[in-house]
């Protein structure tokens, strides 16, 4: 289905590449007409979620397909959003003592193999470099799927004494996982961008303290910037990160009934430290292995944002992430054009803090411009014409609700700030409601199966046997455990599958 | 020679990994002693430039070797410097209309092959991905050595009309060139970080205008931030970028007599546009190919910075790039410790804008701390002890010259700002003097050979025949043309090699 959107782009490109003909002028007009017709989203979110999603991502200019199967281009709008997420997180992580650095892209196979569970988890999806120029390499090199192996090799060299701890490094980089499943722009691509944090501590206590701080940071950023409400919890043994002792994640319910794993943090204990010989001489003179964490947030979150908040007009961007929070569309008539444009420029100057776009392009109707900026997700639109000039008013419209207000020009800065603020909060509320409406409890396996069929995520009690997770996944057509939500009490009931005493309440859903 | 520095690190690490013994306490003391002894640079810049350079880079914590041959780790200090260069350039490039984006790491072989000169230039040094997991790929994929091929494939899809131009995208990313030469940290590594800008215009004029602006920007940033003076000019036909019509670079003279190619800009004309079918429907209704530029600045520049400015005590960082511009070292005695530390904290608070480090570590002498911060290149040091407390003074010392001043505490902010400012300007002057003292003119081939042997870079007149460049390179033991400096007039003399009428004055030097 994703091909449809791409095909359309291809067709209009082909038409533009027709060589000079006697019909040049007509061609220009025709191209404009076609552009206007195909610019909008042509399917409804509720009718065909996948096609709708792809159209929103491609047509809004967030991301696009590339010549490499499963890999995407992140276009300027998508990249600006990622850059904002990066800036916000990096600043907070630096306050926690983490420092940015850069490690090699390529990892020798022998190094990757040092931690047994880790290599088992990643080998099937590694892209291998085997040749440099025309020369076959002595040892094949993995394009990093994650950087534990290459970083911990350096850690074992750098960390010698308690004075070298804690060591907290992060990398904002690209990683590659050669999964052969159906790719989805932003949500499921072979290459993506992320931050990977790798920290080493003298004590378990410090590592556990950082786990709490990082999970709180992810939650805060996702709620207050991405306006996404998720379920924080612990992965089951079966689902934890390859090599970790414990994995914590935030899981997001998407409108298609699937859940997406968001940012995470892994408590690695001393597992990697032992495999990669990361030890230090402690104050008491004894040699010890360090305790480690790893944590990450990725560009997939931009996909979650699109899936949850966008609508049939296109992208909806939370104001705190939008590179341009505002567009000003002048309503132009010949006799008042000059005055209206002049006033629009004044308004733009006054609202500079919102990085306004003044759309003074000629040859497009205001209605066409409204559609385009709605497609691109600009949070607030100001409409301004000759009548507004006379009345010293402007019309301010909100992207998500369509709400319109007439405000006095002198109050416009305050009105825009309030509208953006309200929109940001409302989007989070909407996301929370979506999750609350669609995460339900099931007492029996039948209830669980029924709920999954109705595109719900389901809380159910299970025993500690990983086979029961497999059985449930099989019987629900693919709903595995997402996590064990934080704060859920030890259940008194039975495992919905085997009937043995339940150990945990887990969240089940199909995964994106 | 570079192995020496690495071996030392390895040895002290090995000693720290000795298991518990009855001599634990002694071991701790011994380790400290060893750390103090090996922390400094053990060779002189003038005696063994290569070993000195590597020791400065590794011991200051800028970068380190990794488990992958020819690839480096950029440690937090090195990364912070790169981040500053990035921030400064990105801001200016955005003002020029360039936008950040991200394209796939991997490039299908067929795509890379579309522009003949380009593929010829890069194929010998491409790292090839041939397998995904255990499956052999149908087509091998290049790890990007540069992104023309993958970006222009998208450009050909996106650009349809004059309204889509100019398109100015940049990527701050990693690239890989599998060169099999001797690696040098930062200066010559298989993987490095850079920005690659790729712009497309409707007219040649606009492209040429951007070339000027970008070259001016590189010059400005390198002079005012990196304090590096270079020679801007045009590459000869022989030395230009694979696929470009014209290459412009800034070349830097290093104290070992070699020159390093710094940032560059390539005018591609319509060569790539034709190979990758990037055309647009112009206002007049005709279909045209776009005109393109590409430009880049890389992490190699950090290596140039080290080579030019650092000294036998270690790193010297230009204040405008130093993440911490200031360190405060308290001189502590038991009876006045509390008061001295309290005043140091006040001073640190007042000088917050310089991101000061207050080095209040116990168990290290002030002298040891001076050495460590000199090694790490902190531009200004404040020494503060009980006598200063009494006199309401502080001693302020400058990293590059060693100059010390006693200043009243009330004037300290102004004194530090002035010292930093002066240091920044003096470093650029020093760099300019280094270049001017070592770039000389030669009238004959003999003079040229002699000058190269004396580690000079040489200006000489040559004809247009590329074979003369080859002959001169051969006869000088490796000095090729670096560039044809901007503003050099058409020479009246003869080619120093063949004696035919000279066409240009070119700069010759061995290259790093």
């Amino acid at each position: 289905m994703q091909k449809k959107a791409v095909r359309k782009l291809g067709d209009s490109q082909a038409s533009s590449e027709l060589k000079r003909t006697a019909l040049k002028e007509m061609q220009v007009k025709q191209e404009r007409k076609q552009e206007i017709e195909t610019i909008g989203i042509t399917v409804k979110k509720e009718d065909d979620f996948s096609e709708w999603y792809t159209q929103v991502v491609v047509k809004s200019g967030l991301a696009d397909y590339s010549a490499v199967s499963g890999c995407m281009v992140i276009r300027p709008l998508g990249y600006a959003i990622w850059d904002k997420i990066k800036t916000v997180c990096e600043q907070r992580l630096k306050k926690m003592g983490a420092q940015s650095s850069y490690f090699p892209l390529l990892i020798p196979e022998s190094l990757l193999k040092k931690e047994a569970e880790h290599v088992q988890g990643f080998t099937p999806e590694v892209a291998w470099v085997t040749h440099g120029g025309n020369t076959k390499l002595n040892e094949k090199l993995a394009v990093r799927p994650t950087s534990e192996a290459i970083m911990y090799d350096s850690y074992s060299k750098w960390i010698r004494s308690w004075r070298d701890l804690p060591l907290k490094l992060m990398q904002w980089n690209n990683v590659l996982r050669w999964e052969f499943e159906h790719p989805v722009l932003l949500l499921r691509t072979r290459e993506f961008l992320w931050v990977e944090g790798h920290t080493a501590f003298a004590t378990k206590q410090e590592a556990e303290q950082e786990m709490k701080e990082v999970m709180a940071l992810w939650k805060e950023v996702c709620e207050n910037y991405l306006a996404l409400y998720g379920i924080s919890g612990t992965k089951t043994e079966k689902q934890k990160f390859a090599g970790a002792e414990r994995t914590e994640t935030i899981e997001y319910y998407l409108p298609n009934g699937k859940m997406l794993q968001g940012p995470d943090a892994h408590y690695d204990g001393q597992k990697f430290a032992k495999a990669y010989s990361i030890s230090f001489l402690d104050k008491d003179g004894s040699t010890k292995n360090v305790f480690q964490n790893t944590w990450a947030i990725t560009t997939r979150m931009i996909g979650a944002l699109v899936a949850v908040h966008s609508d049939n007009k296109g992208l909806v961007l939370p104001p705190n992430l939008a590179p341009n929070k505002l567009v000003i569309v002048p309503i132009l008539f010949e006799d008042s054009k000059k005055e209206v444009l002049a006033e629009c420029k004044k308004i733009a100057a006054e609202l500079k803090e919102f990085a306004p776009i003044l759309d003074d392009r000629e040859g497009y109707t205001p209605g066409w411009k409204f559609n385009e900026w709605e497609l691109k997700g600009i949070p607030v639109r100001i409409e301004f014409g000759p009548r507004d000039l006379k009345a010293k008013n402007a019309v301010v419209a909100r992207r998500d609700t369509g709400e319109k207000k007439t405000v006095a020009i002198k109050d416009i800065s305050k009105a825009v700030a309030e509208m953006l603020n309200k929109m940001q909060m409302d989007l989070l509320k909407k996301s929370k409601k979506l999750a609350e409406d669609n995460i339900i409890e099931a007492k029996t396996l039948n209830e669980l199966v029924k709920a999954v069929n109705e595109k719900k995520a389901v809380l159910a009690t299970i025993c500690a046997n990983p086979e029961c997770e497999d059985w449930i996944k099989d019987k629900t057509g693919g709903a595995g455990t997402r996590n064990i939500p934080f704060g859920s009490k030890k259940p008194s009931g039975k495992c919905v599958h085997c009937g043995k005493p339940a150990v945990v309440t887990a969240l089940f859903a199909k995964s994106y």
Side-chain angles (χ1 to χ4, degrees), chain A:
Chain A
M1 286 192 219
Q2 285 136 15
K3 276 183 192 158
K4 279 190 223 165
V6 173
R7 205 172 52 230
K8 260 165 226 147
L9 283 178
D11 287 348
S12 45
Q13 182 206 345
S15 80
S16 79
E17 284 180 2
L18 291 171
K19 299 294 166 200
R20 291 167 182 247
T21 70
L23 298 167
K24 277 171 208 167
E25 267 307 308
M26 212 177 94
Q27 193 187 23
V28 176
K29 278 182 196 155
Q30 206 168 6
E31 187 220 5
R32 178 80 57 87
K33 192 165 165 277
Q34 189 182 28
E35 196 185 328
I36 290 167
E37 279 166 5
T38 61
I39 195 172
I41 309 299
T42 59
V43 293
K44 289 199 175 351
K45 186 174 185 177
E46 52 277 23
D47 294 341
D48 184 347
F49 180 84
S50 298
E51 169 66 10
W52 166 86
Y53 172 84
T54 302
Q55 284 200 16
V56 171
V57 171
V58 173
K59 292 186 173 186
S60 69
L62 277 180
D64 204 349
Y65 290 96
S66 77
V68 195
S69 163
C71 297
M72 66 180 159
V73 180
I74 304 179
R75 297 186 70 176
L77 179 58
Y79 198 83
I81 291 167
W82 177 240
D83 217 31
K84 179 72 185 177
I85 296 172
K86 174 182 183 292
T87 304
V88 168
C89 291
E90 196 177 23
Q91 197 181 22
R92 285 164 168 71
L93 289 162
K94 280 184 174 172
K95 270 195 190 156
M96 287 171 54
Q99 294 178 293
S100 282
S101 57
Y102 187 77
F103 286 75
L105 171 75
L106 301 179
I107 305 170
E109 188 182 20
S110 54
L111 210 56
L112 198 62
K113 281 188 169 168
K114 279 197 174 177
E115 209 292 319
E117 286 175 24
H118 186 62
V119 68
Q120 235 184 348
F122 280 103
T123 301
E125 54 189 55
V126 162
W128 292 104
V129 170
T130 58
H131 289 72
N134 293 316
T135 312
K136 195 177 174 194
L137 304 180
N138 290 329
E139 180 180 13
K140 61 182 181 177
L141 302 170
V143 180
R144 62 176 163 236
T146 177
S147 299
E148 277 79 358
I150 192 80
M151 291 176 77
Y152 298 165
D153 185 59
S154 288
Y155 282 27
S156 84
K157 192 167 83 176
W158 295 335
I159 296 172
R160 295 173 288 153
S161 141
W162 60 270
R163 286 188 304 270
D164 301 320
L165 296 173
L167 180 62
K168 304 183 188 183
L169 298 186
M170 59 181 162
Q171 289 195 76
W172 293 85
N173 61 16
N174 57 332
V175 282
L176 203 68
R177 296 177 185 178
W178 209 258
E179 298 176 87
F180 290 91
E181 292 172 65
H182 192 57
V184 180
L185 287 172
L186 292 166
L187 284 172
R188 179 176 285 281
T189 52
R190 284 172 170 168
E191 185 182 15
F192 56 88
L193 305 183
W194 73 347
V195 63
E196 50 176 327
H198 296 265
T199 53
F201 300 89
T203 63
K204 178 175 175 174
Q205 199 183 5
E206 289 166 274
E208 289 286 11
Q209 177 59 29
E210 193 204 47
M211 286 289 288
K212 279 188 200 132
E213 287 173 24
V214 168
M215 288 302 290
L217 187 163
W218 294 153
K219 185 179 158 68
E220 192 264 311
V221 170
C222 290
E223 291 189 353
N224 296 340
Y225 289 83
L226 288 89
L228 290 176
Y229 174 82
I231 310 298
S232 300
T234 308
K235 286 280 191 191
T236 61
E237 277 301 301
K238 192 180 156 54
Q239 299 278 0
K240 73 181 186 186
F241 179 73
E245 282 210 356
R246 193 178 78 252
T247 288
E248 296 177 2
T249 64
I250 311 183
E251 306 278 336
Y252 294 89
Y253 179 85
L254 304 189
N256 63 347
K258 293 181 179 175
M259 287 195 87
L260 180 86
Q261 182 180 322
D264 56 22
H266 313 287
Y267 170 67
D268 299 327
Q270 296 178 308
K271 285 173 94 168
F272 284 102
K274 281 172 187 165
Y276 290 90
S277 307
I278 314 174
S279 60
F280 68 101
L281 194 65
D282 207 351
K283 285 179 188 173
D284 65 5
S286 65
T287 301
K288 294 173 184 168
N289 282 120
V290 297
F291 293 84
Q292 290 180 275
N293 293 333
T294 64
W295 31 262
I297 187 168
T298 81
T299 41
R300 295 182 85 186
M301 290 311 292
I302 303 174
L305 183 70
V306 174
V308 169
H309 289 304
S310 296
D311 62 21
N312 291 330
K313 291 178 174 175
L315 192 63
V316 173
L317 281 179
N320 288 352
L321 281 187
N324 304 100
K325 301 189 203 311
L326 184 68
V327 61
I328 302 170
V329 179
I331 319 291
L332 299 176
F333 295 93
E334 249 349 289
D335 57 350
S336 55
K337 192 170 162 180
K338 212 176 133 191
E339 293 78 13
V340 165
L341 269 180
E343 187 62 30
C344 283
K345 277 178 196 166
K346 268 196 215 162
I347 295 173
E350 201 195 322
L351 301 178
K352 207 180 154 193
E353 62 179 307
F354 306 112
I357 295 168
L358 171 55
D359 186 355
D360 56 2
R361 286 177 296 174
E362 309 252 346
Y364 295 85
T365 64
W368 193 91
K369 290 178 180 178
F370 293 177
N371 289 343
E372 189 185 16
W373 297 116
E374 281 175 348
L375 177 66
K376 288 180 187 288
I378 305 283
V380 165
R381 177 181 74 230
I382 293 179
E383 305 166 9
F384 190 84
R387 271 187 301 182
D388 304 292
L389 186 68
K390 231 177 234 171
K392 297 186 177 169
N393 283 337
V395 175
V396 184
R398 193 173 132 173
R399 170 63 184 88
D400 59 334
T401 56
E403 183 201 349
K404 277 189 180 195
K405 260 187 197 170
T406 301
V407 299
I409 291 177
K410 65 177 176 50
D411 302 327
I412 204 159
S413 181
K414 199 172 155 234
V416 168
E418 277 173 7
M419 191 177 266
L420 289 168
N421 206 19
K422 185 75 172 27
M423 179 174 167
Q424 181 74 36
M425 288 191 301
D426 286 351
L427 288 178
L428 177 59
K429 275 186 208 157
K430 185 187 151 204
S431 167
K432 194 170 181 192
K433 188 170 184 322
L434 178 75
E436 286 172 348
D437 287 352
N438 287 287
I439 300 175
I440 63 171
E441 278 182 53
K443 299 271 179 223
T444 66
L445 188 57
N446 277 348
E447 278 180 35
L448 203 168
V449 172
K450 184 166 171 280
V452 169
N453 285 339
E454 287 164 357
K455 299 197 170 178
K456 302 293 182 192
V458 192
L459 287 162
T461 56
I462 51 168
C463 66
N465 183 359
E467 282 178 24
C468 282
E469 285 179 65
D470 286 337
W471 277 110
I472 292 168
K473 194 170 180 182
D474 190 55
K475 286 181 181 168
T476 53
T481 53
R482 307 313 309 150
N483 65 23
I484 300 157
F486 287 160
S488 58
K489 285 172 196 149
K490 191 176 180 308
S492 53
K494 292 174 177 178
C495 173
V496 292
H497 180 254
C498 69
K500 285 183 190 156
V503 177
V504 292
T505 301
L507 179 61
F508 286 85
K510 293 182 184 175
S511 86
Y512 221 118

